[in-house]
Amino acid sequence: MTNSLSAGLEALRKAIATMPCSPGVYHMIDAKGEVLYVGKAKNLKKRVTSYANTSSLSTRLKRMVSGIALVEVVTTKSEVEALLLESNLIKRLKPYYNIVLR
């Protein structure tokens, strides 16, 4: 990963500034345009903000945050819809940091 933790945090902060508090799915994307991670949330803004608190993140997640260049979100009508979309996207995109659901 060529990005630094501070660059990843800056990308997160920019995304959080306009992020809705609704349910949906978020994609962490690196500088090459590859999806690093796909996650779902009941409250997108609250969930993505949790990645900015690096003191509580594992080494693995800090590495992921260091690679973030862009965060994209897709809002959904419900948490269930977000869960289904997340599952489909993980199967299709096979993000590096979604090792559990592969």
XYZ file of all heavy atoms in Angstrom:
783
model
N 0.843 -1.177 0.000
C 0.000 0.000 0.000
C 0.890 1.244 0.000
O 1.759 1.358 0.828
C -0.883 0.035 1.246
C -1.678 -1.197 1.519
S -3.360 -0.952 1.022
C -3.837 -2.639 0.838
N 0.640 2.115 -0.919
C 1.465 3.307 -1.018
C 0.906 4.469 -0.198
O 1.638 5.390 0.103
C 1.603 3.745 -2.491
O 0.310 3.935 -3.026
C 2.359 2.712 -3.287
N -0.338 4.441 0.153
C -0.932 5.529 0.922
C -0.528 5.457 2.375
O -0.200 4.402 2.901
C -2.460 5.491 0.831
C -2.977 5.959 -0.500
O -2.224 6.373 -1.359
N -4.274 5.873 -0.675
N -0.607 6.592 3.041
C -0.325 6.639 4.462
C -1.650 6.629 5.227
O -2.714 6.864 4.651
C 0.457 7.910 4.791
O -0.352 9.048 4.561
N -1.534 6.386 6.508
C -2.730 6.384 7.353
C -3.410 7.752 7.310
O -4.633 7.844 7.227
C -2.358 5.999 8.788
C -3.506 5.797 9.769
C -4.471 4.724 9.282
C -2.976 5.433 11.141
N -2.619 8.830 7.316
C -3.215 10.176 7.295
C -3.972 10.432 5.983
O -5.022 11.074 5.991
C -2.153 11.251 7.530
O -1.165 11.202 6.540
N -3.461 9.927 4.864
C -4.158 10.100 3.582
C -5.472 9.316 3.587
O -6.496 9.807 3.095
C -3.277 9.642 2.428
N -5.453 8.119 4.136
C -6.673 7.318 4.242
C -7.709 7.974 5.137
O -8.901 7.989 4.825
N -7.236 8.539 6.251
C -8.149 9.229 7.169
C -8.747 10.472 6.508
O -9.925 10.782 6.715
C -7.417 9.619 8.459
C -7.102 8.454 9.391
C -6.181 8.904 10.521
C -8.373 7.846 9.954
N -7.965 11.160 5.711
C -8.476 12.338 5.001
C -9.566 11.935 4.006
O -10.595 12.602 3.891
C -7.338 13.070 4.292
C -7.760 14.358 3.623
C -8.422 15.372 4.549
O -8.066 15.441 5.748
O -9.322 16.099 4.079
N -9.368 10.821 3.297
C -10.389 10.316 2.367
C -11.667 9.949 3.129
O -12.782 10.225 2.661
C -9.851 9.109 1.599
N -11.509 9.348 4.307
C -12.669 9.010 5.147
C -13.409 10.272 5.572
O -14.636 10.343 5.465
C -12.225 8.251 6.401
C -12.031 6.756 6.292
C -11.490 6.203 7.607
C -13.314 6.049 5.928
N -12.664 11.268 6.050
C -13.289 12.511 6.525
C -14.066 13.210 5.413
O -15.155 13.731 5.646
C -12.229 13.446 7.114
C -11.737 12.983 8.453
C -10.818 13.998 9.117
N -10.188 13.378 10.271
C -8.922 12.971 10.303
N -8.131 13.145 9.266
N -8.429 12.401 11.372
N -13.514 13.215 4.208
C -14.209 13.839 3.078
C -15.528 13.120 2.789
O -16.542 13.742 2.534
C -13.311 13.811 1.832
C -12.222 14.855 1.858
C -11.266 14.694 0.708
C -11.731 15.423 -0.517
N -10.728 15.395 -1.607
N -15.497 11.797 2.849
C -16.707 11.008 2.587
C -17.739 11.194 3.689
O -18.938 11.339 3.414
C -16.343 9.535 2.444
N -17.288 11.219 4.924
C -18.189 11.341 6.081
C -18.932 12.672 6.057
O -20.096 12.747 6.450
C -17.396 11.158 7.395
C -16.933 9.697 7.529
C -18.225 11.573 8.605
C -15.855 9.475 8.575
N -18.288 13.714 5.552
C -18.887 15.062 5.532
C -20.222 15.104 4.789
O -21.100 15.888 5.139
C -17.906 16.048 4.915
N -20.383 14.267 3.785
C -21.629 14.283 2.999
C -22.423 12.985 3.118
O -23.390 12.786 2.379
C -21.307 14.531 1.509
O -20.448 13.487 1.045
C -20.640 15.878 1.303
N -22.022 12.128 4.030
C -22.650 10.815 4.152
C -23.998 10.882 4.885
O -24.121 11.563 5.896
C -21.704 9.878 4.898
C -22.034 8.423 4.708
S -20.656 7.380 5.193
C -19.512 7.698 3.890
N -25.006 10.165 4.394
C -26.304 10.149 5.074
C -26.270 9.246 6.316
O -25.384 8.408 6.472
C -27.241 9.557 4.016
C -26.363 8.683 3.181
C -25.019 9.366 3.159
N -27.255 9.441 7.174
C -27.389 8.622 8.387
C -28.382 7.483 8.172
O -28.934 6.941 9.115
C -27.831 9.488 9.556
S -26.619 10.712 10.038
N -28.586 7.108 6.931
C -29.560 6.069 6.596
C -28.871 4.710 6.415
O -27.642 4.632 6.368
C -30.297 6.461 5.319
O -29.376 6.706 4.289
N -29.659 3.634 6.303
C -29.056 2.317 6.069
C -28.480 2.227 4.659
O -28.911 2.954 3.753
C -30.211 1.334 6.241
C -31.452 2.120 6.215
C -31.111 3.551 6.452
N -27.497 1.345 4.502
C -26.923 1.153 3.180
C -25.643 0.358 3.206
O -25.310 -0.285 4.201
N -24.936 0.423 2.093
C -23.692 -0.316 1.900
C -22.603 0.688 1.539
O -22.855 1.651 0.821
C -23.860 -1.362 0.772
C -22.557 -2.055 0.446
C -24.916 -2.382 1.162
N -21.402 0.458 2.065
C -20.276 1.329 1.734
C -19.151 0.500 1.128
O -19.001 -0.679 1.423
C -19.782 2.110 2.962
C -19.387 1.245 4.132
C -18.068 0.839 4.306
C -20.328 0.824 5.069
C -17.704 0.035 5.380
C -19.976 0.024 6.137
C -18.657 -0.362 6.294
O -18.289 -1.159 7.350
N -18.380 1.132 0.224
C -17.239 0.496 -0.434
C -16.005 1.330 -0.117
O -16.017 2.539 -0.362
C -17.343 0.505 -1.956
C -18.631 0.049 -2.536
N -19.782 0.779 -2.480
C -18.929 -1.064 -3.219
C -20.744 0.134 -3.104
N -20.252 -0.996 -3.570
N -14.963 0.704 0.368
C -13.674 1.369 0.556
C -12.866 1.048 -0.703
O -12.670 -0.127 -1.036
C -12.942 0.819 1.781
C -13.752 0.826 3.055
S -13.921 2.469 3.715
C -14.527 2.118 5.347
N -12.399 2.083 -1.397
C -11.728 1.910 -2.681
C -10.318 2.484 -2.616
O -10.116 3.563 -2.038
C -12.542 2.604 -3.794
C -13.951 1.996 -3.833
C -11.855 2.499 -5.148
C -14.939 2.735 -4.690
N -9.349 1.775 -3.213
C -7.964 2.255 -3.203
C -7.685 3.163 -4.397
O -8.563 3.406 -5.234
C -6.962 1.100 -3.116
C -6.884 0.241 -4.361
O -7.439 0.621 -5.407
O -6.257 -0.830 -4.286
N -6.464 3.657 -4.491
C -6.079 4.600 -5.543
C -6.155 3.991 -6.945
O -6.312 4.704 -7.932
C -4.675 5.124 -5.280
N -6.060 2.669 -7.042
C -6.145 1.990 -8.341
C -7.593 1.733 -8.762
O -7.843 1.203 -9.834
C -5.418 0.641 -8.278
C -3.944 0.736 -8.037
C -3.368 -0.662 -7.911
C -2.010 -0.649 -7.264
N -1.576 -1.991 -6.880
N -8.535 2.051 -7.860
C -9.944 1.827 -8.158
C -10.440 0.452 -7.742
O -11.565 0.076 -8.039
N -9.592 -0.298 -7.042
C -9.998 -1.627 -6.574
C -10.714 -1.514 -5.234
O -10.322 -0.734 -4.373
C -8.763 -2.527 -6.438
C -8.110 -2.819 -7.772
C -6.881 -3.708 -7.647
O -6.807 -4.493 -6.683
O -6.019 -3.593 -8.512
N -11.766 -2.304 -5.073
C -12.532 -2.287 -3.834
C -11.766 -3.069 -2.770
O -11.452 -4.242 -2.948
C -13.951 -2.877 -4.045
C -14.718 -2.899 -2.740
C -14.711 -2.072 -5.091
N -11.468 -2.388 -1.660
C -10.760 -3.013 -0.542
C -11.727 -3.733 0.395
O -11.421 -4.789 0.928
C -10.008 -1.959 0.272
C -8.916 -1.184 -0.437
C -8.445 -0.038 0.444
C -7.772 -2.108 -0.784
N -12.900 -3.121 0.607
C -13.840 -3.643 1.594
C -15.249 -3.194 1.247
O -15.457 -2.074 0.777
C -13.462 -3.109 2.985
C -14.300 -3.663 4.107
C -14.086 -4.947 4.595
C -15.314 -2.911 4.681
C -14.867 -5.463 5.624
C -16.095 -3.420 5.712
C -15.861 -4.694 6.174
O -16.628 -5.207 7.183
N -16.207 -4.067 1.486
C -17.626 -3.750 1.347
C -18.270 -4.035 2.692
O -18.069 -5.113 3.267
C -18.302 -4.612 0.246
C -19.802 -4.372 0.232
C -17.704 -4.334 -1.117
N -19.023 -3.067 3.206
C -19.695 -3.260 4.482
C -21.101 -2.697 4.435
O -21.446 -1.912 3.548
N -21.926 -3.097 5.395
C -23.290 -2.586 5.486
C -23.448 -1.855 6.804
O -22.664 -2.056 7.733
C -24.301 -3.722 5.391
C -24.215 -4.678 6.560
C -25.522 -5.385 6.773
C -25.424 -6.383 7.893
N -24.998 -5.862 9.185
N -24.439 -1.019 6.861
C -24.668 -0.261 8.090
C -26.130 0.135 8.230
O -26.810 0.393 7.236
C -23.812 0.997 8.079
N -26.573 0.179 9.462
C -27.898 0.694 9.792
C -27.854 2.226 9.670
O -28.805 2.856 9.242
C -28.229 0.283 11.222
C -29.597 0.616 11.710
C -29.745 0.087 13.128
C -31.141 0.172 13.639
N -31.247 -0.449 14.970
N -26.712 2.799 10.049
C -26.465 4.235 9.964
C -25.087 4.398 9.302
O -24.059 4.207 9.945
C -26.484 4.838 11.369
C -26.202 6.321 11.380
O -25.464 6.852 10.544
N -26.769 7.005 12.352
N -25.062 4.705 8.019
C -23.813 4.782 7.262
C -22.793 5.736 7.884
O -21.631 5.384 8.050
C -24.095 5.201 5.814
C -24.685 4.118 4.914
C -25.260 4.727 3.658
C -23.633 3.072 4.579
N -23.248 6.928 8.227
C -22.331 7.931 8.769
C -21.669 7.450 10.057
O -20.451 7.560 10.221
C -23.074 9.246 9.015
C -22.168 10.397 9.350
C -22.958 11.699 9.355
C -22.020 12.846 9.090
N -22.668 13.938 8.415
N -22.459 6.888 10.946
C -21.936 6.408 12.235
C -20.946 5.257 12.016
O -19.879 5.217 12.633
C -23.111 5.953 13.113
C -22.723 5.575 14.508
C -23.963 5.244 15.323
C -23.607 4.756 16.699
N -24.790 4.362 17.456
N -21.279 4.336 11.142
C -20.420 3.168 10.899
C -19.098 3.567 10.265
O -18.036 3.145 10.713
C -21.148 2.154 10.004
C -20.318 0.938 9.667
C -20.093 0.104 10.941
N -19.195 -0.983 10.680
C -17.953 -1.077 11.191
N -17.489 -0.134 11.973
N -17.202 -2.105 10.920
N -19.141 4.371 9.230
C -17.906 4.762 8.544
C -17.039 5.645 9.453
O -15.814 5.561 9.428
C -18.212 5.420 7.184
C -16.949 5.933 6.524
C -18.906 4.404 6.269
N -17.671 6.463 10.286
C -16.929 7.302 11.235
C -16.102 6.443 12.194
O -15.021 6.846 12.616
C -17.895 8.222 12.013
O -18.560 9.073 11.079
C -17.170 9.072 13.033
N -16.573 5.248 12.503
C -15.840 4.380 13.439
C -14.454 3.997 12.903
O -13.542 3.722 13.669
C -16.646 3.118 13.764
O -16.700 2.249 12.646
N -14.267 4.019 11.584
C -12.952 3.712 11.008
C -11.957 4.851 11.208
O -10.758 4.657 11.092
C -13.064 3.409 9.506
C -13.764 2.111 9.210
C -15.072 2.100 8.760
C -13.116 0.893 9.378
C -15.726 0.907 8.483
C -13.763 -0.300 9.110
C -15.070 -0.286 8.664
O -15.706 -1.470 8.398
N -12.451 6.050 11.500
C -11.576 7.202 11.706
C -10.943 7.203 13.090
O -9.968 7.902 13.334
C -12.347 8.496 11.474
N -11.484 6.408 14.013
C -10.928 6.289 15.362
C -9.862 5.196 15.353
O -10.103 4.064 15.753
C -12.041 5.977 16.368
C -11.541 5.894 17.782
O -10.399 6.241 18.078
N -12.397 5.438 18.677
N -8.673 5.532 14.874
C -7.637 4.524 14.644
C -7.118 3.867 15.914
O -6.599 2.758 15.847
C -6.452 5.119 13.866
O -5.943 6.245 14.580
C -6.871 5.530 12.468
N -7.287 4.507 17.065
C -6.778 3.915 18.311
C -7.513 2.618 18.653
O -6.956 1.754 19.338
C -6.887 4.905 19.471
O -8.233 5.255 19.682
N -8.742 2.470 18.155
C -9.502 1.251 18.461
C -9.455 0.220 17.320
O -10.083 -0.826 17.411
C -10.952 1.606 18.781
O -11.573 2.138 17.634
N -8.713 0.519 16.265
C -8.641 -0.402 15.121
C -7.491 -1.394 15.265
O -6.436 -1.067 15.797
C -8.432 0.378 13.813
C -9.535 1.328 13.370
C -9.122 2.018 12.075
C -10.848 0.607 13.173
N -7.703 -2.586 14.722
C -6.638 -3.590 14.685
C -5.593 -3.171 13.649
O -5.839 -2.291 12.819
C -7.215 -4.956 14.298
O -7.690 -4.915 12.956
N -4.452 -3.808 13.668
C -3.392 -3.526 12.694
C -3.910 -3.755 11.278
O -3.629 -2.982 10.363
C -2.164 -4.421 12.962
O -1.742 -4.190 14.312
C -1.032 -4.118 12.019
N -4.662 -4.811 11.084
C -5.227 -5.145 9.772
C -6.123 -4.017 9.256
O -6.044 -3.612 8.100
C -6.005 -6.458 9.899
C -6.640 -6.944 8.627
C -7.287 -8.321 8.889
N -8.248 -8.602 7.878
C -9.528 -8.224 7.897
N -10.019 -7.573 8.920
N -10.332 -8.513 6.905
N -6.995 -3.490 10.135
C -7.898 -2.416 9.722
C -7.150 -1.095 9.506
O -7.504 -0.320 8.622
C -9.024 -2.224 10.727
C -10.091 -3.318 10.703
C -11.157 -3.062 11.760
C -10.736 -3.431 9.334
N -6.101 -0.856 10.274
C -5.282 0.343 10.044
C -4.629 0.269 8.669
O -4.536 1.269 7.962
C -4.207 0.485 11.121
C -4.741 0.977 12.441
C -3.630 1.092 13.460
C -4.198 1.422 14.825
N -3.200 1.409 15.876
N -4.202 -0.925 8.287
C -3.614 -1.126 6.958
C -4.660 -0.835 5.876
O -4.362 -0.217 4.858
C -3.084 -2.557 6.843
C -1.739 -2.652 6.204
C -1.097 -4.021 6.153
N -1.929 -5.184 6.230
C -1.936 -6.054 7.237
N -1.147 -5.884 8.273
N -2.716 -7.106 7.205
N -5.885 -1.298 6.123
C -6.958 -1.046 5.166
C -7.225 0.457 5.046
O -7.313 0.992 3.940
C -8.246 -1.761 5.577
C -9.385 -1.532 4.597
S -10.963 -2.200 5.134
C -11.478 -0.982 6.327
N -7.353 1.149 6.176
C -7.611 2.590 6.168
C -6.493 3.321 5.425
O -6.741 4.262 4.677
C -7.788 3.136 7.607
C -7.796 4.660 7.634
C -9.076 2.590 8.228
N -5.262 2.861 5.574
C -4.124 3.472 4.875
C -4.267 3.388 3.365
O -3.741 4.236 2.638
C -2.816 2.793 5.281
O -2.553 3.000 6.639
N -4.967 2.393 2.889
C -5.135 2.206 1.456
C -6.339 2.911 0.848
O -6.499 2.943 -0.363
N -7.188 3.506 1.683
C -8.422 4.125 1.186
C -8.129 5.429 0.435
O -7.439 6.305 0.934
C -9.398 4.416 2.347
C -9.844 3.110 3.005
C -10.621 5.207 1.851
C -10.629 3.312 4.293
N -8.669 5.522 -0.767
C -8.591 6.759 -1.557
C -9.983 7.360 -1.729
O -10.127 8.561 -1.932
C -7.963 6.476 -2.912
N -10.999 6.506 -1.624
C -12.374 6.936 -1.880
C -13.337 6.018 -1.136
O -13.071 4.815 -1.005
C -12.643 6.843 -3.394
C -14.013 7.198 -3.925
C -14.289 8.695 -3.764
C -14.114 6.810 -5.388
N -14.426 6.580 -0.662
C -15.491 5.787 -0.042
C -16.777 6.090 -0.804
O -17.154 7.249 -0.942
C -15.682 6.125 1.451
C -16.803 5.268 2.051
C -14.392 5.934 2.230
N -17.422 5.052 -1.318
C -18.701 5.208 -2.009
C -19.786 4.548 -1.186
O -19.539 3.536 -0.530
C -18.647 4.556 -3.392
C -17.745 5.259 -4.361
C -17.749 4.617 -5.738
O -18.218 3.464 -5.875
O -17.272 5.274 -6.677
N -20.978 5.119 -1.227
C -22.104 4.536 -0.492
C -23.302 4.334 -1.405
O -23.476 5.053 -2.390
C -22.529 5.398 0.722
C -21.415 5.514 1.727
C -23.020 6.749 0.302
N -24.089 3.328 -1.065
C -25.360 3.069 -1.728
C -26.392 2.996 -0.613
O -26.283 2.125 0.260
C -25.334 1.736 -2.521
C -26.696 1.462 -3.134
C -24.244 1.743 -3.562
N -27.349 3.902 -0.609
C -28.371 3.855 0.440
C -29.446 2.836 0.071
O -29.692 2.579 -1.107
C -29.016 5.240 0.665
O -29.583 5.688 -0.555
C -28.002 6.245 1.179
N -30.035 2.259 1.098
C -31.099 1.272 0.908
C -32.296 1.667 1.779
O -32.169 2.514 2.658
C -30.621 -0.149 1.288
O -30.194 -0.152 2.654
C -29.482 -0.614 0.390
N -33.413 1.014 1.533
C -34.619 1.321 2.307
C -34.604 0.684 3.685
O -35.269 1.153 4.597
C -35.860 0.873 1.539
C -36.104 1.703 0.307
C -37.346 1.261 -0.426
C -37.523 2.111 -1.663
N -38.529 1.615 -2.569
N -33.857 -0.426 3.822
C -33.836 -1.120 5.107
C -32.487 -1.791 5.332
O -31.683 -1.933 4.411
C -34.935 -2.191 5.146
O -34.609 -3.233 4.232
N -32.281 -2.218 6.564
C -31.062 -2.938 6.927
C -31.005 -4.302 6.220
O -29.944 -4.759 5.808
C -31.049 -3.136 8.446
C -29.682 -3.132 9.035
C -29.705 -3.235 10.557
O -30.744 -2.974 11.193
O -28.655 -3.599 11.095
N -32.149 -4.922 6.037
C -32.221 -6.221 5.358
C -31.789 -6.081 3.900
O -31.015 -6.888 3.384
C -33.646 -6.823 5.451
C -33.772 -8.075 4.612
C -34.017 -7.110 6.898
N -32.276 -5.033 3.249
C -31.887 -4.774 1.865
C -30.367 -4.524 1.784
O -29.707 -4.981 0.855
C -32.651 -3.558 1.344
C -32.538 -3.352 -0.146
C -33.367 -2.164 -0.641
O -34.476 -1.932 -0.117
O -32.884 -1.480 -1.550
N -29.825 -3.814 2.772
C -28.378 -3.555 2.824
C -27.604 -4.867 2.980
O -26.569 -5.059 2.332
C -28.052 -2.602 3.970
N -28.108 -5.762 3.813
C -27.451 -7.057 4.022
C -27.393 -7.861 2.731
O -26.351 -8.433 2.385
C -28.195 -7.848 5.107
C -27.683 -9.252 5.411
C -26.280 -9.200 5.984
C -28.625 -9.967 6.358
N -28.501 -7.896 2.003
C -28.538 -8.635 0.732
C -27.603 -8.016 -0.303
O -26.874 -8.728 -1.001
C -29.964 -8.679 0.189
C -30.955 -9.503 1.004
C -32.374 -9.277 0.497
C -30.605 -10.974 0.953
N -27.588 -6.697 -0.391
C -26.719 -6.010 -1.340
C -25.251 -6.241 -0.983
O -24.429 -6.541 -1.856
C -27.035 -4.506 -1.360
C -26.190 -3.648 -2.295
C -26.293 -4.126 -3.741
C -26.605 -2.185 -2.176
N -24.930 -6.145 0.303
C -23.555 -6.385 0.758
C -23.099 -7.787 0.365
O -22.016 -7.976 -0.188
C -23.464 -6.221 2.277
C -22.073 -6.527 2.816
C -22.058 -6.823 4.305
O -23.031 -7.419 4.822
O -21.074 -6.471 4.945
N -23.926 -8.762 0.627
C -23.591 -10.148 0.317
C -23.325 -10.341 -1.177
O -22.332 -10.961 -1.571
C -24.733 -11.059 0.775
O -24.475 -12.384 0.427
N -24.200 -9.783 -2.009
C -24.027 -9.892 -3.463
C -22.760 -9.195 -3.946
O -22.047 -9.713 -4.809
C -25.244 -9.333 -4.195
C -26.447 -10.242 -4.063
O -26.307 -11.456 -3.932
N -27.631 -9.660 -4.082
N -22.484 -8.012 -3.400
C -21.295 -7.266 -3.810
C -20.005 -7.977 -3.398
O -19.034 -7.999 -4.156
C -21.320 -5.844 -3.239
C -22.333 -4.905 -3.881
C -22.438 -3.607 -3.095
C -21.965 -4.625 -5.331
N -19.997 -8.574 -2.216
C -18.809 -9.298 -1.762
C -18.541 -10.495 -2.670
O -17.401 -10.744 -3.070
C -18.947 -9.734 -0.283
C -18.881 -8.505 0.624
C -17.854 -10.741 0.099
C -19.256 -8.768 2.061
N -19.596 -11.211 -3.022
C -19.432 -12.359 -3.920
C -18.925 -11.932 -5.289
O -18.096 -12.598 -5.898
C -20.753 -13.114 -4.059
C -21.115 -13.898 -2.823
C -22.493 -14.522 -2.947
C -22.918 -15.119 -1.627
N -24.338 -15.459 -1.614
N -19.431 -10.799 -5.786
C -19.063 -10.332 -7.117
C -17.684 -9.654 -7.160
O -16.885 -9.908 -8.057
C -20.124 -9.364 -7.636
C -19.963 -9.086 -9.125
C -21.083 -8.243 -9.684
N -20.758 -6.845 -9.455
C -21.619 -5.907 -9.052
N -22.871 -6.209 -8.841
N -21.241 -4.679 -8.875
N -17.404 -8.801 -6.173
C -16.178 -8.002 -6.199
C -14.978 -8.667 -5.511
O -13.841 -8.300 -5.780
C -16.434 -6.636 -5.560
C -17.521 -5.781 -6.214
C -17.811 -4.551 -5.369
C -17.111 -5.390 -7.623
N -15.243 -9.599 -4.586
C -14.206 -10.285 -3.822
C -13.157 -9.322 -3.228
O -11.960 -9.446 -3.493
C -13.516 -11.336 -4.680
C -14.445 -12.449 -5.153
C -13.740 -13.436 -6.024
C -14.542 -14.602 -6.463
N -15.936 -14.454 -6.738
N -13.608 -8.368 -2.395
C -12.667 -7.417 -1.818
C -11.650 -8.094 -0.896
O -11.988 -9.048 -0.183
C -13.554 -6.473 -1.000
C -14.948 -6.758 -1.426
C -14.972 -8.155 -1.946
N -10.442 -7.604 -0.920
C -9.331 -8.199 -0.154
C -9.636 -8.300 1.339
O -9.302 -9.290 1.967
C -8.058 -7.361 -0.370
C -6.873 -7.910 0.364
C -6.162 -8.990 -0.140
C -6.467 -7.370 1.575
C -5.076 -9.515 0.532
C -5.376 -7.888 2.263
C -4.691 -8.953 1.740
O -3.617 -9.472 2.427
N -10.235 -7.271 1.932
C -10.457 -7.262 3.380
C -11.766 -7.917 3.820
O -12.062 -7.951 4.999
C -10.365 -5.830 3.926
C -8.937 -5.343 3.907
C -8.446 -4.590 2.850
C -8.060 -5.662 4.935
C -7.133 -4.153 2.833
C -6.742 -5.232 4.930
C -6.286 -4.482 3.873
O -4.976 -4.062 3.850
N -12.548 -8.473 2.920
C -13.756 -9.221 3.268
C -13.466 -10.720 3.253
O -14.159 -11.485 2.612
C -14.904 -8.926 2.290
C -15.528 -7.593 2.480
O -15.164 -6.647 1.804
N -16.463 -7.478 3.412
N -12.463 -11.131 3.969
C -12.049 -12.534 3.919
C -13.060 -13.491 4.559
O -13.168 -14.624 4.134
C -10.661 -12.754 4.553
C -10.623 -12.200 5.970
C -9.582 -12.129 3.680
C -9.357 -12.511 6.736
N -13.821 -13.035 5.528
C -14.739 -13.908 6.246
C -15.881 -14.400 5.353
O -16.258 -15.568 5.388
C -15.301 -13.209 7.508
C -16.343 -14.069 8.200
C -14.175 -12.895 8.467
N -16.445 -13.527 4.526
C -17.624 -13.881 3.740
C -17.317 -14.425 2.355
O -18.209 -14.665 1.572
C -18.547 -12.667 3.617
C -19.199 -12.197 4.914
C -20.010 -10.943 4.679
C -20.078 -13.277 5.514
N -16.042 -14.631 2.030
C -15.692 -15.117 0.690
C -16.179 -16.506 0.456
O -16.052 -17.456 1.023
C -14.193 -15.068 0.498
C -13.785 -13.739 -0.069
C -12.407 -13.818 -0.614
N -11.968 -12.454 -0.819
C -10.737 -12.108 -1.016
N -9.794 -12.992 -1.039
N -10.425 -10.873 -1.206
